Amino acid sequence: SDNKIALIPGGPHPYFAPWEQAGKDAAKDFGIAAVDFKVPAEWKLNLQTELVESLVTQGYTAFGIFPGDAVGINQTVEELTANNIPAAALAGCAQDPTKMSFCLGTDVFNSAYLGTQALIKAMGGKGKIVHLAGLLVDPNTKLRMDAVEKAVKETNGAVTIVQHITDTDAQEAADQKINALLGAQKDEIDGMVSTAYIPSVVAAKSLRNLGDKRIKLVGIDDDQIVLDGIKDGFVAGTMAQNPYGQGYVGAYVLDLIASGTCTVKADAPWIKTPQTEHFIDSGTLLISNDNVGTYKDDLKKITGEIQSTFKDKYLTCK
Amino acid sequence: MTLAVSSDSRARPSWLAEQSNLIGLAAIIVLFWVLFTSLAPGFVSSFNLFALSRSLAVDVVIGFSTMVVLATGGMNLAIGSIGVCAVMASGYMMQTLGLPIPVAMALALLLGAFLGWLNGFVIVRSGVNSFIITLASASLFLGAMLILSKAQTFNALPPEIAAFGRMRWKFISPLLFIALGLGAALVVLFRFTALGREILAAGANARAAELSGVPVGRAIIIAHTLSGALAASAGLMLVIRLGAAMPSIGQDWLLPSFLAPVLGGTLLAGGYVSVVGTILGAFLVTTIRSGLLVMQVGNFWLQLFLGLILLAAVMLDRYRGIYAERRSLGRKDAGRRASGKSA
Amino acid sequence: MRLTIEGIGKDFPGVTALDEVSFEILPGETHALMGENGAGKSTLIKIITGLYRPDRGRLLVDGKPVDFTSPRDAIAAGISAVHQERNLIPRFTVGENIMIERPPTRNGVIDFERVHAEARKFLDMIDPSIDTRTEVRHLSVAQMQIVEIAKALSLEAQVLLLDEPTASITGHEAEALFAVVRRLRAEGKAIVFVSHKLEEVMAISDRVTVLRDGRVAAAGEPIASMNRGKIVSAMIGREERVAEMGARDVDRSKVVMEAKDVTTSFGHRGVSFRLHKGEILGLYGLVGAGRTELARALIGDGKVVSGELRLNGQPVTIPDVPTAIRRHRLGYISEDRKAEGLILAHPIRSNVAITVWRRIASALGLITRSNERRLVHPLVEKLEVKTPSIEQAVGKLSGGNQQKVSIAKWLAAGVEILIIDEPTVGIDIKTKTAIHELIGEITREGLSVLLISSDMPEMITLADRILVMRDFTLAGTIENSHRYEPMSREIMGFIHAGEETSPVAAGAARA
Amino acid sequence: MSTMTRNTTFGQRFLANEWSALAIAIAIGLVTLAVLSPAFLTEFNLYVMLRSFCVVLIVAFAQMLTLAVGQMNLSVGALGGLVAIAVGGMMEKWGFPVPVAILCGLAIGAAGGLINGLLTVRTGINGFIITLATASAFTGINLGITESIPFYNLPASFVAFGTERFYALPYLLLPPVLIAIALAFFLARTVPGRQLLAVGGNPQAAELSGIPRDRVIVMAHTLSGLLAGAAAILAVAQLGSAQPTIGADWLLMSFAAPIIGGAALTGGHISVAATALAVVLIVIIQNGMVLAKVDPYWVQFLLGALILAAVGLNRLRAVRAGGA
Ligand SMILES: Nc1ncnc2c1ncn2[C@@H]1O[C@H](COP(=O)(O)OP(=O)(O)OP(=O)(O)O)[C@@H](O)[C@H]1O
Ligand SMILES: Nc1ncnc2c1ncn2[C@@H]1O[C@H](COP(=O)(O)OP(=O)(O)OP(=O)(O)O)[C@@H](O)[C@H]1O
Ligand SMILES: [Mg+2]
Ligand SMILES: [Mg+2]
């Protein structure tokens, strides 16, 4: 097709690095004119929307967007669809009501929930935990906090949550806060669940520095430091997401929709999340010592599955 | 030469000379428009112009918010926090309380003005630098907002809001007219009212102003109140633009809020503001940013080019200013100057 | 070292400050540089010290052309200066300010013991009472001026340029300065001396150069060949006019301001006086006697702690300056016009109109520039402010013209009582006369003036009665007889009650 | 003034110090936290606090030097980020030995500062705008090089320096302490140091006194850049990886600490000791909030309230000292 598709993260962040390759692969595999990875200069919503707007003027015909803000992006998406340009939320969802065609990504609530459950299991079903979270003003943070609390509540008091520490997604703030936490309470707490990229990395590193294998940590994403922590026993596990798959499948589907060959099915087996009613799980899996060598293959397998069944499950095509 | 009535109008710097800085800035903007238009035709597409006018509108008002406080020689680091407080308040009033839009917006503006007044009051009463007070109050206001709202977004606002945000007048967002209207009001304030003059006098030399009977404390408080109201306006414009009231609004206002007025010639030290300059300053930055995006300058390198072009623009303006000054001097007795130089 | 000024010219936007100025400064002489406000004296000094580049002409040192690109160059060439503007670092100590150009170091580290010792040496030449370890910002205006002089002396330069060094110091310190000047001259140094005080000039200089409107009106005339009249007519281009106050019979039936046993937050004790309608009440005293602070307390920029202040018979408490001006029509012209009197970056128009903005505003609260101009223009004309336009920034005016603007402001304000603090510091003879006449005129029109001045002749010319202040109390009141000798003796008697006659009295008596 | 210092009590002399209110606030904070939480005074927590003190302090000094001459450096963070990834890149990609990489990093920092200074002085444009523009340029280079992906594989010895400690004292504390002492000495006792303050205190006067004003301003910017570079290198050691986001949130803190420490934005007045104490106070507040398990929604609010309280205390001190 002659579609030009842009994949746009919220800002510069290592998580999205695989999107570049995913886009290229998708363009080659599905014969799309272009699938370009375009990064806003800074992690700011207005820069993201300005980028989207300028790409429209450059003739891009479909957008895969990680919303810089789950609510704030909607107005822009609305304008896109008004111009017959489809957009899909990738990696993270936009908050309903939204004109995003669908959301292919990590269910932040579910991921945090599963991560906490994994942590509870690693702690032997009881103890005290701390939740490390990202920007407090990000609507997703609230969802993650709720998810952690839900998982904790299900233990009927065997596990208690000591505190949520937020605004840890800048390196230095994370280092300062997490170390302060360990300094104050390392003997009291039994586990930490991190629902943001940077605190996961920093917590993994801090536990290694401390030489502490008693405190269990379940993080998110597969940063090298976290994976090393898993191999060496400082980290119990991490919730892998599937950035490559999101970019690859996202581009594939957007191409179909933008070409007009397919439309999104209303009664497809969508997952309903607190954020959106049109959610597709891009694959969340727990990386632990057992699968740390092989999880990539697992993710690839998932990606292949989603891609091959997508048309039938979620789209109506001519 | 002793002043004589007849010589006054002649010797008074002409309107053109007085505005030469603004004209220079405008010329540079035109230069960039020509450049971007010829290099990237998409730049003047109606979609891009609309988008540009809309982000310009908000940047201009944010710039005004800082400008009015710079006039007093102070700073307001809390504009983002005041903005978000107004945003969340308006969201709460419209979505939860179901108040009519104009009422909610007016009350939100009042809240912004009140928070600004609070800043000004504490600054004047304590005698502590506005930088510190507003640094602390930025945290306080944002914190209070988080405590009250639990960082919940209001995204079920009346649909008219979002519709207004999408509205176009030809290819320009009506938001821009609001911003320009505020600008016009500020021009009147600083040029034609005692209050505006007093604010400037207080900023230029507080001691002299005080001894000349200017109620300096009051001038500072009013400037901060105004700054708060403008910050709230910028916040509400974003609500209209985004169709939702979110707690993350305002977090990245600080630098652009300074950039526009300072580029436009407003003095950081106080005592001089340029409303038109602030608009042009914001316009220059928006133009460059949008132009680079449309020209598809490499993703990650965009910031570099933005910085370099900004540098080039301010230097161009600077040398144009020096050149203009030389010319106006040289005209007087260029012959003698030349002979003087060779001596 | 011989300094030749050859055809120097300098333009500022709208003004030619200097044009074809040529004369010579010789070693071993004191060369007076005279001229009205705005004649270009300070501009010339700034050119000689490398702060400005001349647009035309050149400077020669011992016959060789020099081109100073910065004050550093001039200092290196052996030229130092006391500029008209204050040039001290407020947060540095007196000692460090004096030694700032070449602080003594040991192994690259500043040796503060020696800094203070050296500074002491130069300060002692003028005023031993100033502590070199005090930060400059705590000093009074006069003390800062003395530090400036010591700082210029510390460079031990071949050419010393003094731009109105005596404008804000008393006769006592001025005498000490002249002694130093005489000694330096004896050592073969050249001294250039700018002053508006003719008596001083006549007393210490060897030759005099007069500038008028940026051109030389008299070049290096030996002082012996000049007299007061000649110098003045060279300066103003016509005969001197002496302030003629005329017969002043003040009606003392109406008291507009009365202080009864006032104690202030600054430490004044038992201050009692009455100011009558249309009267000029002088307040004389030495530097630091507390006159300025009394004025501050009266206008609400300090507090009256006890006692009573009555205006037009009504007891009042004045919480702040705006109230003093608006409600009580009481204004104050500061002695420090740059820091407190004027907004240097703003045009003359705003500076004059500032007190009346609210009054001239239309019903809608709007003021227009033409409204302001209509108010400001006649005043600026009346005071003969030398400026290309009333849109000129006040900071670009010469010192004298700045003072005229700050007087114009209060005339515009239409106050009933005006406290004027050192009205003619740094103001030329012609303007001074004009200002004196002006003060006389406004009091005839019903304004009452409390006049603070350290200039005894001025006091005796203007005041109807003179209060003498010593150490924050009033030492006495004198009815003005307009006879200089007995008056000054009586005033000094109050100041030095119980002390031996000091050189200050002698100096003042001589003048 | 002179009479005041002569016959006064120790208490009055203490209050006359600009940093005394900060010292009192810190003492109050320490006691409160020690009482509130037994963990506060443990060796490890002290170590944690001292460690988070290091980078912030140098960043504050970097800004303090430009404030000293009445300028601002909005590019501290951007330059820091650039140096951080440069050092990381040199160690990981090019395998430079640690000392060489550090020296190169410092040189880049100083060069960035030099560019800021030269541009400011040569063009006569407000340093605020210049550094705002160069900040964008520095960040652009940073992102362009890294595409926002950090350098992870740093030499073990370097990373160890960022984490090892002697009882409660982190090794990381050494450079900031040395820098603080050197700066205090530089500003108080050396000719260039005094010239820097003189230019800030009254640029016109300094120039008339023969001080090369432009050169001094360039020097201030260069030193500022050098310190930003030093802070970045410490941050890399502390974090154990060269993150492109290092420095992203330095700006506000860099101003807050010197100004809470009494620096004048107009220049000429700064205090090394008070700036350091302001950083200590901020670190204690932040540490205390984690320690006291403050509800996340209250963190911001309390931060503002506590800063305001500290400022109020200082105001009270000034009034008292003035009255004494
Ligand atoms: N920086 C400047 N910009 C514009 N005009 C200036 C500047 N400096 C001086 N002038 C003008 O140049 C002329 C000469 O001023 P200058 O200060 O040399 O006078 P002066 O003889 O020292 O007067 P005074 O006795 O009042 O000090 C004045 O008309 C003044 O307004
Ligand atoms: N020798 C001195 N040592 C220390 N402080 C002094 C000295 N002389 C004056 N001061 C202070 O400087 C200030 C000057 O006082 P003030 O200005 O009221 O005096 P004045 O009578 O108006 O003198 P003038 O205006 O002529 O300087 C006062 O605060 C005084 O305490
Ligand atoms: Mg002069
Ligand atoms: Mg006085």
Side-chain angles (χ1 to χ4, degrees):
Chain A
S1 75
D2 53 4
N3 281 321
K4 274 173 89 180
I5 299 172
L7 300 179
I8 302 175
H13 196 287
Y15 171 87
F16 300 103
W19 279 14
E20 185 154 26
Q21 191 56 45
K24 282 182 189 145
D25 292 351
K28 199 170 75 209
D29 296 352
F30 308 116
I32 309 170
V35 182
D36 295 331
F37 178 54
K38 297 278 180 184
V39 187
E42 279 175 79
W43 197 278
K44 291 177 183 166
L45 177 63
N46 72 317
L47 291 181
Q48 186 180 37
T49 53
E50 276 175 25
L51 177 64
V52 171
E53 284 155 1
S54 90
L55 291 175
V56 171
T57 47
Q58 290 160 39
Y60 279 80
T61 50
F63 289 88
I65 300 172
F66 174 87
D69 185 289
V71 173
I73 197 70
N74 281 335
Q75 183 83 348
T76 305
V77 174
E78 191 138 355
E79 280 160 27
L80 289 178
T81 43
N83 284 293
N84 281 323
I85 297 171
L90 302 181
C93 301
Q95 180 76 44
D96 273 350
T98 178
K99 288 273 162 65
M100 291 276 193
S101 303
F102 59 91
C103 172
L104 170 64
T106 313
D107 175 353
V108 290
F109 185 91
N110 197 35
S111 163
Y113 177 71
L114 294 178
T116 313
Q117 281 189 329
L119 174 67
I120 292 169
K121 199 167 139 222
M123 293 187 329
K126 62 175 195 311
K128 294 180 175 170
I129 67 163
V130 171
H131 171 211
L132 309 171
L135 268 186
L136 186 55
V137 292
D138 177 351
N140 286 339
T141 300
K142 181 79 170 75
L143 288 178
R144 295 183 179 113
M145 286 162 75
D146 292 347
V148 171
E149 275 171 14
K150 179 174 176 225
V152 167
K153 204 175 273 163
E154 284 166 4
T155 64
N156 292 321
V159 175
T160 51
I161 178 157
V162 180
Q163 70 190 107
H164 300 275
I165 296 181
T166 59
D167 291 324
T168 55
D169 35 16
Q171 278 292 331
E172 293 166 277
D175 191 76
Q176 193 259 333
K177 287 185 173 168
I178 291 167
N179 279 308
L181 169 77
L182 291 173
Q185 301 168 27
K186 68 176 181 336
D187 300 328
E188 290 168 38
I189 59 174
D190 307 295
M192 297 192 281
V193 57
S194 165
T195 54
Y197 189 102
I198 285 172
S200 307
V201 177
V202 173
K205 184 165 168 287
S206 299
L207 286 179
R208 177 188 294 273
N209 290 341
L210 205 58
D212 192 319
K213 294 190 180 178
R214 188 189 64 80
I215 299 176
K216 304 291 181 241
L217 168 68
V218 171
I220 191 164
D221 296 327
D222 53 350
D223 189 275
Q224 197 54 45
I225 290 179
V226 178
L227 294 182
D228 289 347
I230 292 175
K231 283 179 200 145
D232 300 341
F234 290 105
V235 179
T238 190
M239 300 305 296
Q241 309 188 68
N242 188 4
Y244 180 89
Q246 292 155 356
Y248 185 79
V249 179
Y252 161 71
V253 180
L254 280 167
D255 180 45
L256 293 178
I257 298 176
S259 309
T261 18
C262 302
T263 51
V264 174
K265 224 190 271 179
D267 55 349
W270 303 108
I271 302 171
K272 290 193 178 31
T273 74
Q275 268 188 326
T276 180
E277 308 220 307
H278 296 90
F279 181 74
I280 303 154
D281 198 344
S282 63
T284 300
L285 62 81
L286 178 71
I287 308 174
S288 64
N289 214 356
D290 311 329
N291 62 351
V292 64
T294 57
Y295 78 96
K296 284 208 166 121
D297 301 331
D298 299 342
L299 283 176
K300 261 192 203 126
K301 212 181 293 158
I302 295 173
T303 304
E305 263 165 39
I306 299 174
Q307 189 262 319
S308 56
T309 59
F310 203 103
K311 228 175 178 168
D312 299 338
K313 260 168 115 177
Y314 300 103
L315 303 176
T316 5
C317 298
K318 291 176 199 159
Chain B
M1 170 183 55
T2 301
L3 179 84
V5 185
S6 56
S7 73
D8 181 45
S9 52
R10 180 168 46 87
R12 200 170 66 230
S14 69
W15 180 85
L16 220 64
E18 227 172 292
Q19 312 302 327
S20 82
N21 278 326
L22 299 182
I23 294 169
L25 203 54
I28 289 169
I29 293 172
V30 170
L31 193 81
F32 277 114
W33 273 74
V34 172
L35 196 76
F36 288 136
T37 311
S38 52
L39 292 179
F43 185 69
V44 284
S45 67
S46 80
F47 189 88
N48 197 48
L49 289 179
F50 175 65
L52 204 146
S53 72
R54 207 165 44 178
S55 38
L56 174 64
V58 178
D59 280 0
V60 163
V61 179
I62 294 172
F64 285 157
S65 175
T66 285
M67 186 191 77
V68 293
V69 173
L70 287 180
T72 68
M75 291 190 186
N76 185 1
L77 306 188
I79 52 168
S81 296
I82 294 178
V84 76
C85 284
V87 162
M88 297 304 278
S90 75
Y92 175 76
M93 288 186 283
M94 289 187 280
Q95 181 170 331
T96 312
L97 300 184
L99 292 184
I101 298 173
V103 176
M105 296 239 160
L107 288 176
L109 282 179
L110 268 183
L111 175 69
F114 171 72
L115 295 178
W117 176 85
L118 214 56
N119 275 337
F121 181 78
V122 174
I123 289 163
V124 168
R125 275 307 160 89
S126 69
V128 176
N129 190 318
S130 60
F131 185 98
I132 304 185
I133 297 293
T134 56
L135 178 73
S137 72
S139 257
L140 276 175
F141 296 160
L142 182 65
M145 183 278 291
L146 287 173
I147 293 167
L148 293 175
S149 73
K150 291 279 180 279
Q152 292 283 35
T153 300
F154 297 100
N155 62 343
L157 301 183
E160 293 90 333
I161 298 263
F164 185 46
R166 279 192 306 269
M167 205 160 101
R168 310 175 173 216
W169 185 79
K170 300 262 158 86
F171 42 79
I172 291 174
S173 163
L175 289 180
L176 187 59
F177 293 105
I178 297 181
L180 294 179
L182 288 174
L186 287 173
V187 168
V188 171
L189 174 75
F190 284 114
R191 280 216 147 199
F192 299 115
T193 72
L195 176 64
R197 299 296 198 75
E198 287 178 352
I199 291 175
L200 290 174
N205 184 343
R207 187 77 189 131
E210 177 94 51
L211 287 178
S212 307
V214 171
V216 170
R218 212 188 63 157
I220 291 174
I221 292 177
I222 292 179
H224 275 276
T225 309
L226 204 56
S227 172
L230 286 165
S233 319
L236 294 180
M237 286 165 82
L238 277 172
V239 171
I240 292 171
R241 156 120 174 62
L242 299 171
M246 324 179 295
S248 54
I249 285 176
Q251 299 226 318
D252 46 11
W253 285 3
L254 200 55
L255 284 183
S257 82
F258 277 93
L259 193 54
V262 174
L263 267 180
T266 294
L267 292 180
L268 282 174
Y272 178 78
V273 298
S274 171
V275 175
V276 180
T278 301
I279 296 173
L280 292 180
F283 196 19
L284 178 65
V285 178
T286 317
T287 300
I288 296 176
R289 213 166 52 198
S290 166
L292 285 176
L293 284 173
V294 175
M295 280 174 48
Q296 308 209 44
V297 171
N299 285 329
F300 288 104
W301 294 100
L302 185 99
Q303 290 263 77
L304 173 62
F305 286 100
L306 185 64
L308 292 181
I309 292 184
L310 202 57
L311 263 184
V314 292
M315 272 149 81
L316 209 65
D317 185 44
R318 170 79 189 158
Y319 288 115
R320 181 206 53 75
I322 290 176
Y323 178 74
E325 199 166 294
R326 289 226 183 95
R327 282 266 311 256
S328 77
L329 263 185
R331 210 178 307 133
K332 220 171 100 209
D333 50 9
R336 269 201 288 171
R337 278 174 62 84
S339 67
K341 248 182 208 152
S342 63
Chain C
M1 181 170 125
R2 196 176 84 228
L3 188 65
T4 313
I5 292 139
E6 206 177 87
I8 291 275
K10 177 80 189 168
D11 300 323
F12 291 113
V15 211
T16 298
L18 291 174
D19 202 14
E20 294 290 335
V21 171
S22 304
F23 64 97
E24 229 179 3
I25 295 159
L26 303 172
E29 73 163 351
T30 307
H31 195 125
L33 185 58
M34 309 260 325
E36 290 185 336
N37 296 130
K41 307 177 296 291
S42 301
T43 305
L44 182 60
I45 283 178
K46 283 175 185 158
I47 286 175
I48 298 175
T49 51
L51 192 66
Y52 294 163
R53 303 283 293 271
D55 292 332
R56 300 173 290 278
R58 56 183 188 162
L59 287 175
L60 299 96
V61 168
D62 289 330
K64 284 194 243 5
V66 288
D67 183 19
F68 300 143
T69 55
S70 78
R72 277 172 80 72
D73 296 349
I75 290 171
I79 296 172
S80 77
V82 172
H83 288 276
Q84 193 172 7
E85 296 81 31
R86 223 171 295 141
N87 281 301
L88 298 172
I89 317 288
R91 295 261 180 185
F92 281 20
T93 61
V94 168
E96 205 179 350
N97 263 293
I98 291 174
M99 301 306 295
I100 193 160
E101 208 268 328
R102 48 190 81 170
T105 56
R106 193 192 300 148
N107 309 325
V109 177
I110 297 177
D111 183 347
F112 278 105
E113 286 310 312
R114 266 173 61 212
V115 165
H116 290 292
E118 293 269 310
R120 186 76 270 152
K121 222 171 63 196
F122 297 103
L123 202 53
D124 279 352
M125 294 180 186
I126 314 288
D127 181 356
S129 76
I130 300 173
D131 184 353
T132 61
R133 289 173 200 269
T134 309
E135 281 183 23
V136 159
R137 65 194 167 112
H138 296 303
L139 299 182
S140 69
V141 176
Q143 291 170 322
M144 289 188 195
Q145 183 68 30
I146 290 162
V147 173
E148 291 268 17
I149 295 169
K151 178 174 150 188
L153 293 177
S154 78
L155 292 173
E156 304 191 296
Q158 290 302 311
V159 177
L160 179 62
L161 307 158
L162 303 170
D163 195 352
E164 302 197 30
T166 58
S168 58
I169 60 178
T170 58
H172 186 53
E173 286 97 4
E175 277 306 318
L177 171 64
F178 297 156
V180 175
V181 166
R182 292 194 186 97
R183 208 189 65 225
L184 292 175
R185 179 180 60 177
E187 288 169 10
K189 311 270 168 67
I191 294 104
V192 174
F193 183 76
V194 178
S195 172
H196 290 295
K197 300 181 181 169
L198 262 175
E199 292 76 14
E200 281 177 4
V201 169
M202 301 298 287
I204 69 155
S205 42
D206 301 310
R207 295 199 298 151
V208 55
T209 293
V210 179
L211 295 180
R212 185 169 72 228
D213 283 341
R215 292 168 186 271
V216 175
E221 300 292 337
I223 201 83
S225 74
M226 301 290 276
N227 59 27
R228 186 188 163 94
K230 274 190 185 167
I231 295 178
V232 172
S233 57
M235 269 165 57
I236 66 181
R238 57 178 164 80
E239 291 298 301
E240 181 182 9
R241 190 181 46 172
V242 178
E244 200 40 78
M245 297 300 295
R248 291 181 55 86
D249 52 339
V250 178
D251 169 17
R252 298 226 175 126
S253 61
K254 189 159 188 300
V255 178
V256 290
M257 180 192 253
E258 179 173 18
K260 274 192 201 154
D261 207 18
V262 161
T263 309
T264 71
S265 49
F266 299 111
H268 298 85
R269 306 170 302 277
V271 174
S272 303
F273 65 86
R274 287 177 175 188
L275 173 64
H276 303 98
K277 186 167 171 69
E279 185 182 36
I280 301 175
L281 179 61
L283 182 56
Y284 190 82
L286 296 186
V287 170
R291 295 164 300 164
T292 297
E293 272 132 325
L294 180 61
R296 295 255 147 100
L298 292 178
I299 58 161
D301 188 38
K303 268 206 208 92
V304 171
V305 182
S306 74
E308 196 178 59
L309 179 66
R310 284 170 175 267
L311 294 176
N312 294 318
Q314 299 300 314
V316 294
T317 23
I318 300 178
D320 52 28
V321 185
T323 311
I325 295 169
R326 297 213 182 126
R327 176 136 8 116
H328 304 297
R329 304 215 154 272
L330 170 62
Y332 168 69
I333 300 185
S334 168
E335 61 183 331
D336 189 348
R337 57 177 169 255
K338 293 223 159 123
E340 304 192 329
L342 297 168
I343 297 172
L344 297 179
H346 286 188
I348 297 174
R349 176 178 45 77
S350 310
N351 269 285
V352 175
I354 185 168
T355 51
V356 290
W357 279 333
R358 282 178 189 275
R359 195 141 31 91
I360 62 174
S362 71
L364 285 171
L366 301 184
I367 41 180
T368 59
R369 288 191 179 191
S370 62
N371 263 349
E372 284 182 291
R373 266 185 222 122
R374 215 168 306 140
L375 174 86
V376 174
H377 214 274
L379 285 169
V380 166
E381 272 221 308
K382 179 171 173 183
L383 301 193
E384 303 193 337
V385 177
K386 203 171 156 182
T387 173
S389 104
I390 60 170
E391 296 301 326
Q392 180 85 319
V394 165
K396 289 189 176 167
L397 300 181
S398 71
N401 283 307
Q402 291 182 356
Q403 184 70 332
K404 289 182 185 172
V405 171
S406 57
I407 292 176
K409 168 165 83 184
W410 292 105
L411 294 182
V415 288
E416 285 166 6
I417 304 171
L418 187 56
I419 305 177
I420 311 180
D421 200 349
E422 308 284 6
T424 57
V425 168
I427 291 199
D428 70 53
I429 294 175
K430 193 173 109 188
T431 314
K432 193 165 169 176
T433 307
I435 288 172
H436 287 171
E437 282 174 346
L438 208 72
I439 293 174
E441 197 182 314
I442 57 178
T443 52
R444 265 194 301 280
E445 287 162 11
L447 210 89
S448 315
V449 170
L450 182 62
L451 174 77
I452 302 175
S453 175
S454 309
D455 183 344
M456 182 91 73
E458 175 168 278
M459 218 25 140
I460 293 173
T461 312
L462 283 177
D464 297 307
R465 288 182 302 141
I466 297 169
L467 303 170
V468 180
M469 175 160 269
R470 187 187 69 218
D471 197 18
F472 290 73
T473 62
L474 287 181
T477 314
I478 304 162
E479 201 59 52
N480 194 350
S481 65
H482 292 280
R483 292 206 312 273
Y484 193 85
E485 271 298 308
M487 287 281 312
S488 65
R489 217 187 308 280
E490 202 179 344
I491 291 172
M492 284 304 151
F494 280 127
I495 287 178
H496 298 282
E499 295 173 25
E500 290 164 39
T501 334
S502 79
V504 186
R510 190 196 52 79
Chain D
M1 176 73 203
S2 53
T3 49
M4 202 182 79
T5 41
R6 219 171 291 136
N7 41 22
T8 46
T9 62
F10 170 77
Q12 279 165 327
R13 254 179 296 154
F14 177 73
L15 277 185
N17 276 317
E18 250 171 2
W19 46 262
S20 56
L22 286 171
I24 293 171
I26 289 170
I28 295 174
L30 287 176
V31 171
T32 317
L33 286 173
V35 171
L36 264 177
S37 158
F40 181 68
L41 286 180
T42 56
E43 189 185 303
F44 186 72
N45 194 47
L46 288 178
Y47 155 77
V48 163
M49 277 201 292
L50 288 172
R51 191 163 165 273
S52 49
F53 171 71
C54 305
V55 173
V56 186
L57 183 66
I58 304 182
V59 171
F61 284 154
Q63 194 61 263
M64 187 186 78
L65 282 175
T66 44
L67 285 178
V69 292
Q71 297 256 331
M72 299 185 186
N73 182 359
L74 301 192
S75 71
V76 269
L79 192 50
L82 183 58
V83 170
I85 61 114
V87 168
M90 283 187 276
M91 294 201 257
E92 182 181 311
K93 290 268 174 306
W94 297 344
F96 280 19
V98 175
V100 177
I102 289 179
L103 282 179
C104 291
L106 291 176
I108 292 174
L114 184 69
I115 291 173
N116 284 339
L118 285 177
L119 282 175
T120 308
V121 163
R122 288 283 160 83
T123 62
I125 299 169
N126 191 327
F128 185 92
I129 300 192
I130 295 285
T131 54
L132 199 58
T134 56
S136 181
F138 295 145
T139 306
I141 301 175
N142 174 344
L143 288 178
I145 293 175
T146 59
E147 306 216 325
S148 85
I149 298 168
F151 295 105
Y152 286 117
N153 299 318
L154 307 182
S157 63
F158 181 70
V159 177
F161 177 76
T163 50
E164 279 178 7
R165 62 192 167 118
F166 177 75
Y167 295 102
L169 297 177
Y171 287 179
L172 207 61
L173 192 60
L174 201 62
V177 167
L178 291 180
I179 288 174
I181 294 171
L183 261 185
F185 181 80
F186 171 75
L187 290 170
R189 303 304 295 267
T190 68
V191 176
R194 297 311 288 176
Q195 288 187 338
L196 207 119
L197 290 173
V199 166
N202 186 344
Q204 162 100 341
E207 184 162 27
L208 282 172
S209 311
I211 292 172
R213 180 171 87 177
D214 289 355
R215 220 185 304 161
V216 169
I217 291 176
V218 173
M219 172 178 80
H221 272 290
T222 310
L223 287 176
S224 175
L226 181 70
L227 287 182
I233 294 169
L234 282 197
V236 174
Q238 181 181 0
L239 299 173
S241 55
Q243 303 276 348
T245 54
I246 282 176
D249 52 0
W250 285 0
L251 189 61
L252 212 53
M253 200 54 83
S254 79
F255 280 105
I259 291 177
I260 291 176
L265 276 171
T266 46
H269 183 61
I270 53 171
S271 161
V272 172
T275 302
L277 287 183
V279 176
V280 170
L281 184 66
I282 293 167
V283 166
I284 290 178
I285 292 177
Q286 287 179 338
N287 187 277
M289 295 228 247
V290 176
L291 216 67
K293 300 175 195 159
V294 171
D295 179 62
Y297 297 106
W298 282 82
V299 168
Q300 278 290 337
F301 186 81
L302 284 177
L303 182 68
L306 289 171
I307 292 178
L308 214 53
V311 170
L313 199 65
N314 193 25
R315 194 62 208 157
L316 215 61
R317 171 205 68 83
V319 172
R320 280 287 165 78

